[in-house]
Amino acid sequence: MIWVIAYGLQGLHALGYQPDALTAAMTWYLAETQLPDGSWAGLDFRPPIKAGQIMGTALSVKALLDYPSEYRTRPVQERIAHARRWLEQAQAPDFTQMVYRYLGLGWAGGTPSELQSEISNLLALQRADGGWAPPAGLESDAWATGLTLTALHDADRLVPTDAAYRRGVEFLLRTQFEDGSWWVKSRTWPFQPHFDSGFPHGKDQWISASGTSLAVIALLNTLEPVAPGKSFPSAQELIAKYSKSASPTSAPGLVSAKEGAAPPTDATFVRDIKPIFEKSCLACHGGDKPKGALDLGTVANLIKGGQSGQPAIIPGQPDASPLLRFVQDRIKDLEMPPLGRRARYPALTKAEVGMLRDRIQHQGDLPAKP
Ligand code: HEC
């Protein structure tokens, strides 16, 4: 129950809803369900949106602060101080609760030094691709990234011009789908029959909708306040702003966010390029344990890249694509195939490099308009 109420109040507050009898009833319920130790139980465990006691406590604190009113049994400040003491000693069992412990402490007036170590911990978890990831082997995604960026931003600890924020934004722009959504893999287990909400990404649609919202909030935070009568910058302007600041290899083309850009057409790319890769690359970059953590079998993998965290190709930008540099021996110690193995895996011919360049160039093309 506390989830519906705490999230509900957070939503009402975001909309500028004024306190009234409804919000008073909701906060009264929250206040009365605080446990003797200062926490809120958050019994209904459906991670990451309902992810346990720390998160329930943080969200309840926020709701009580947003809609303060007098409670029969205990003043609200006392309740919040009590919750804060509980949060101070709580051990976050996972990434989401780590973020919410930080948020809860901040909302409850935690000391700067407490927050400083939380912030360092969160920043240290940013991955080479600019995103954040939940634990347990999942990849960086819009949910974890959007949550972390907005959490650090809301507490004024990370501003959009900071390098970490910009890298996070680049990650989000790079991973947005053509339809505007982000895909986030579900972390929970099904316990009721799936029904379709209409949001993309099939059975992952619920967490994807939430992740898309968080990503949008993180991106909105980068905008200057909009003067009355002016409109928001377009997606194009936003992308231009972010891609300018970054070097060609670290600005991975922001490809998929390009307005109207085609989703990579795997079929043609793979058809044309596969023979080349088969001859010179796939022995190492395929199978269970591909070298450099890069499996060259799909376009999605090429865009995602391997252990470096950099994309291997940037559709539409062959010269900025690391892979094309590697196969032309332009980068010392990253010549591909590796120099010492060329007896077995031949270097690409000029014609093959040309073909690869051409394919990367056109990979980001718009689809033919029907
Ligand atoms: C004999 C094995 C071998 C062959 C063949 C080979 N590679 Fe590699 N490749 C590696 C290894 C090992 C690494 C990791 C190198 C490192 O990070 O120091 C790597 C890394 C890479 C990376 C960087 C991945 C990342 O993001 O970290 C790219 C891109 C790449 N190879 C492309 C190719 C292409 C394209 C071909 C074929 C033209 C090829 N490789 C052939 C062994 C191979």
Side-chain angles (χ1 to χ4, degrees), residues 1 34 87 111 123 148 156 191 213 234-235 245 247 260 268 272 274 310 322 328 361 366:
M1 191 68 167
Q34 186 176 26
L87 283 168
T111 66
L123 287 175
T148 312
D156 288 333
F191 79 102
S213 305
S234 68
S245 68
S247 66
T268 43
D272 294 345
K274 208 164 185 186
Q310 304 285 1
Q328 296 176 95
Q361 179 72 54
L366 300 177

Side-chain angles (χ1 to χ4, degrees), residues 276-277 280-285 291-294 296 305-312 322-323 326-327 333-338 341 345-346 348 356:
I276 304 176
F277 282 178
S280 296
C281 321
L282 289 182
C284 296
H285 292 290
K291 293 277 190 283
L294 178 65
L296 291 173
Q307 69 193 14
S308 66
Q310 304 285 1
L323 183 146
F326 300 167
V327 298
D333 294 332
L334 274 172
E335 298 88 349
M336 289 294 146
R341 309 295 301 276
Y345 309 107
L348 303 198
L356 204 51

Side-chain angles (χ1 to χ4, degrees), residues 158-221:
L158 194 64
V159 290
T161 45
D162 290 346
Y165 204 104
R166 298 186 81 93
R167 289 201 292 128
V169 165
E170 284 172 15
F171 171 82
L172 291 175
L173 291 175
R174 195 166 71 234
T175 52
Q176 187 180 23
F177 276 60
E178 294 314 312
D179 59 13
S181 69
W182 277 263
W183 170 57
V184 181
K185 200 164 162 28
S186 177
R187 294 108 158 98
T188 195
W189 53 93
F191 79 102
Q192 56 190 8
H194 174 75
F195 68 93
D196 199 282
S197 72
F199 200 85
H201 311 302
K203 292 199 168 169
D204 292 324
Q205 62 184 205
W206 300 94
I207 182 70
S208 294
S210 172
T212 296
S213 305
L214 285 166
V216 168
I217 297 171
L219 294 180
L220 283 172
N221 286 339

Side-chain angles (χ1 to χ4, degrees), residues 209-267:
S210 172
T212 296
S213 305
L214 285 166
V216 168
I217 297 171
L219 294 180
L220 283 172
N221 286 339
T222 67
L223 302 180
E224 314 291 332
V226 181
K230 290 262 173 65
S231 57
F232 280 116
S234 68
Q236 211 91 59
E237 286 166 327
L238 203 62
I239 288 161
K241 181 171 152 190
Y242 276 91
S243 47
K244 231 183 291 157
S245 68
S247 66
T249 42
S250 74
L254 310 169
V255 270
S256 49
K258 232 187 315 177
E259 256 176 1
T265 44
D266 268 63

